[in-house]
Amino acid sequence: MARIALPIATFLAAISTLGVAMAQPDPVSTRKEGLRRMQTNLEAIGAVANAGGDTRDTVPRAEEMVAFFRDLPAFFPPGSNGNGSRALPAVWSERAGFERAAANATTAAEALRAAAASGDAAATTAAVRAMGASCGACHRNHRSR
Ligand code: HEC
């Protein structure tokens, strides 16, 4: 019995170690990947709107942006400024301003979603521009060049 129990215990310990490693991916690479994806979404929505296409097809992308920016502050846990991060200290030292910038981006993404859902290409183009301005507003004070 003991001969069987020991390998099982070892196996379970190995799995739980793996579980911890997988549950805690590097926050810097996670958020960078997410931010690059937001850039792709914004460009894709802008391209459809500029071409006079059916912006309703881009609603899922705008939806993803709403969810991402709502969660954005959580992608910047305290101490996650290493590993090649370009986040400025203000992300943590002036947290209220950072969270406000994230909330503004969420509002802009909600407006983008509404414009895309309306099927109005001109309104969507304007909302893409406003979204881009809110990205830039946060980068100005929170991302190094
Ligand atoms: C609330 C602040 C905030 C908002 C809003 C924001 N960003 Fe950023 N962004 C950052 C910070 C901080 C970094 C640097 C992250 C790092 O290097 O750890 C960054 C980095 C990036 C990067 C570089 C990722 C990489 O691979 O290094 C891209 C691309 C990007 N943002 C695109 C966008 C786009 C597009 C938007 C708007 C749709 C946006 N961001 C909105 C704060 C913001």
Side-chain angles (χ1 to χ4, degrees):
M1 193 65 197
R3 259 193 351 226
I4 295 170
L6 187 61
I8 287 175
T10 309
F11 179 67
L12 291 177
I15 285 182
S16 80
T17 306
L18 188 68
V20 167
M22 284 166 59
Q24 298 175 324
D26 165 37
V28 177
S29 47
T30 301
R31 70 194 177 219
K32 281 184 170 179
E33 195 183 312
L35 286 158
R36 286 196 300 271
R37 174 145 180 89
M38 294 310 111
Q39 176 104 40
T40 301
N41 283 341
L42 189 59
E43 286 170 1
I45 297 169
V48 170
N50 284 339
D54 190 345
T55 59
R56 289 171 300 184
D57 294 342
T58 69
V59 168
R61 288 187 183 275
E63 187 65 48
E64 200 184 297
M65 295 180 81
V66 171
F68 181 85
F69 287 111
R70 196 180 281 145
D71 292 345
L72 182 134
F75 298 135
F76 291 83
S80 64
N81 55 348
N83 271 348
S85 173
R86 284 162 66 201
L88 291 173
V91 167
W92 296 277
S93 65
E94 287 155 50
R95 193 66 174 181
F98 182 64
E99 289 183 356
R100 215 175 307 120
N104 289 343
T106 305
T107 302
E110 285 165 350
L112 178 58
R113 178 179 59 188
S118 78
D120 183 333
T124 304
T125 298
V128 164
R129 262 191 223 117
M131 179 82 248
S134 84
C135 311
C138 185
H139 292 160
R140 224 169 1 263
N141 297 321
H142 300 98
R143 186 181 73 170
S144 67
R145 280 156 216 289

